Every structure is written in C-alpha cells, then in structure tokens.
Amino acid sequence: RGPRGATLRPTSGRLRESLFGMLESADADMSEVLDLYAGTGALGIEALSRGAGRCTFVESDAPACRAITDNLERVHMLDRGSVIRARVGRWRPDEGQLFTLVMADPPYAHTASWDEIEHSGEDALAPHALLIVEHAAREHPPVALLGRSMWRDRRQGDGAVAVYRSEGSAGKDAA
C-alpha cells in the first residue's frame, strides 16, 4: 500500500518478475539489500520475501516512509528492514556497511538519478554486489555504474531494468 495522493509509480508485476528472474539467474547474494527511491518498499519487500537477509529502504517522502513501515509490519518483516528518510545522493551508509544487492527505482523524469545512485552507493558495495536500476524504456542507461558493467537491460512496456555486476561475478549463466 502507498500513501494517499502520492504520485508514486510502482514497479509493474511483470517487470518485478523479470527482475527477480534475472537475480535468480545471476545467483544473486541477497544477504544485505539496499532499496533506493523505495516508494512503497515493494522491491525490497519482494527481496525479503524471496530470502533476503535484511533490507535498508531509503526514501525522501515522509508519508512513503510511513507506508514502507506499515507494509513491513503487515507482512511481518519489520525486524528485517530499516527505513531511512533521506534523499538519494545526499544519503550515505555508515562507514564499512556493505550491500550485496542494490535496487533503485527513481522517478523516470528525474535526470540526476544516475549521479545520485553513484554518490549514495560509492564505497558501499560488496565486491560481488549486483546493482539494479529501473528506468524509462526510452532511456539509455550508462554502460557502467559504481564500477560495475551493465550485464542486462530488460525492457517491459514503458519500463526497463538495467542490471550491473562486476566483471569477476559469475552467475549461473555467466557471460
């Protein structure tokens, strides 16, 4: 559930299925997940429901943060999630905190999001971490982000998901 009157654009069910299929194919480590531009928390909660250990949700909108907390409580996962009210790009994780999976779903019209993701994720990724960014299908994502090369870019209707991983990462179907 989302906050009343919010202008959030939730990830479609088909795109979410495609995303988690790619994560399974890549044999993703979901022990420490970071959900940037979290909105209702749907992506992070989906990761938790699929076995993620913990998820940190970063969202700037106060009503959306309350909705994430309510959604975590509703699915009995409040103890596995941390909700942080902050702007992506300004927020930085605690020193030494490393994430194994980063998912970002910025507003499609927000042109600074790639730089913001770069800033918030800098020095916060485990060596084998995967980075997932949802973007408008008409947009061409960068070929590299946070020291990782684009591995996949799947389009689904108006949306797309770019998946980045380090060169040394070997999933089930490593290229």
Side-chain angles (χ1 to χ4, degrees):
R1 295 183 187 169
R4 282 197 173 140
T7 58
L8 301 174
R9 177 199 33 81
T11 303
S12 74
R14 289 179 65 193
L15 191 56
R16 199 166 43 231
E17 274 304 311
S18 179
L19 161 66
F20 281 94
M22 285 187 285
L23 291 174
E24 186 177 308
S25 170
D27 203 18
D29 176 351
M30 296 195 300
S31 55
E32 282 294 329
V33 176
L34 175 60
D35 186 351
L36 298 173
Y37 307 96
T40 63
L43 287 178
I45 291 171
E46 180 82 18
L48 289 170
S49 75
R50 291 175 181 252
R54 292 202 41 77
C55 185
T56 300
F57 300 84
V58 178
E59 172 57 53
S60 62
D61 183 69
C65 287
R66 285 191 294 279
I68 295 167
T69 301
D70 291 346
N71 289 335
L72 283 166
E73 191 169 38
R74 188 173 291 110
V75 296
H76 309 288
M77 294 181 184
L78 195 55
D79 61 326
R80 294 172 49 209
S82 301
V83 181
I84 297 170
R85 183 173 178 222
R87 287 189 181 277
V88 175
R90 292 185 185 164
W91 174 81
R92 298 278 299 144
D94 294 335
E95 189 174 330
Q97 186 175 18
L98 297 178
F99 296 97
T100 59
L101 174 63
V102 177
M103 299 182 293
D105 185 9
Y108 284 176
H110 187 60
T111 57
S113 59
W114 299 103
D115 292 334
E116 292 172 351
I117 294 165
E118 188 86 36
H119 181 75
S120 285
E122 186 178 28
D123 299 324
L125 301 183
H128 60 282
L130 288 175
L131 174 61
I132 312 297
V133 182
E134 187 172 344
H135 61 92
R138 68 185 178 284
E139 185 178 8
H140 297 286
V143 296
L145 190 63
L146 285 165
R148 278 136 180 83
S149 300
M150 187 186 309
W151 175 56
R152 297 271 196 277
D153 189 28
R154 290 260 169 88
R155 297 173 189 300
Q156 190 75 249
D158 291 340
V161 176
V163 181
Y164 297 85
R165 68 180 186 182
S166 22
E167 294 298 324
S169 295
K172 293 176 184 172
D173 67 348

